[in-house]
């Protein structure tokens, strides 16, 4: 999977653009800025947007190509994000640390999904918010994206 995403993100432009996901954008503005976790963040569009609103953003993806683009986008927009290259399994999820987590079309193998979701939930402070947007299992029939 890592090689697949590195290849996908190796193109010159941003695969999903530089503007935040619309659903994420509509939800994050409803919340008071705090600490935000963005697993599988790709090229950084949501991280950069959240940082521009005052969020302290921790983001990760296992694609080095995505990491480079995210750092570049943050520099262009003059914001700071804490972005590292990591897998879902290797990321160190701090306990009760985040005010929110954005799970925006993250692609995760089914055999680790429940375990990683539990880690993300435990990384939220009491009352923390999850902003999820995902593909329905029937999406595969529409040839419009998704795993």
């Amino acid at each position: 999977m890592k090689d697949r995403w590195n290849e996908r993100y190796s193109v010159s432009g941003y695969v999903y653009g530089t503007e935040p996901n619309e659903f994420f954008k509509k939800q994050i503005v409803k919340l008071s800025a705090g600490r935000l976790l963005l697993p599988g963040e790709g090229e950084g569009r949501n991280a950069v947007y959240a940082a521009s609103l005052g969020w302290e953003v921790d983001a990760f993806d296992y694609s080095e190509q995505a990491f480079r683009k995210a750092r570049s986008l943050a520099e262009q927009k003059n914001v700071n994000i804490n972005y590292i290259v990591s897998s879902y399994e290797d990321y160190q999820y701090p306990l009760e640390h985040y005010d929110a987590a954005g799970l925006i079309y993250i692609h995760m193998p089914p055999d680790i999904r429940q375990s990683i979701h539990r880690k993300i939930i435990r990384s939220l402070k009491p009352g923390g918010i999850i902003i999820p947007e995902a593909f329905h299992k029937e999406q595969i029939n529409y040839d419009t994206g998704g795993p």
Side-chain angles (χ1 to χ4, degrees), residues 67-114:
F67 167 80
R68 287 197 246 327
K69 286 184 170 180
R71 299 300 301 165
S72 177
L73 184 60
E75 288 174 16
Q76 290 171 32
K77 300 288 186 173
N78 199 31
V79 298
N80 292 313
I81 59 174
N82 180 31
Y83 190 115
I84 65 169
V85 176
S86 180
S87 68
Y88 296 111
E89 299 96 332
D90 292 336
Y91 185 76
Q92 299 298 307
Y93 300 86
L95 292 176
E96 296 184 3
H97 183 75
Y98 298 106
D99 299 290
L103 309 180
I104 308 300
Y105 292 118
I106 61 174
H107 301 273
M108 197 181 309
D111 59 323
I112 66 166
R113 188 176 300 128
Q114 285 187 351

Side-chain angles (χ1 to χ4, degrees), residues 11-41:
V11 299
S12 62
Y14 284 78
V15 175
Y16 299 106
T18 58
E19 294 300 312
N21 168 276
E22 282 298 316
F23 178 75
F24 177 78
K25 182 178 179 179
K26 288 177 183 174
Q27 301 311 309
I28 199 73
V29 297
K30 296 176 185 177
L31 305 174
S32 298
R35 290 186 172 153
L36 174 66
L37 174 63
L38 292 170
E41 173 54 6

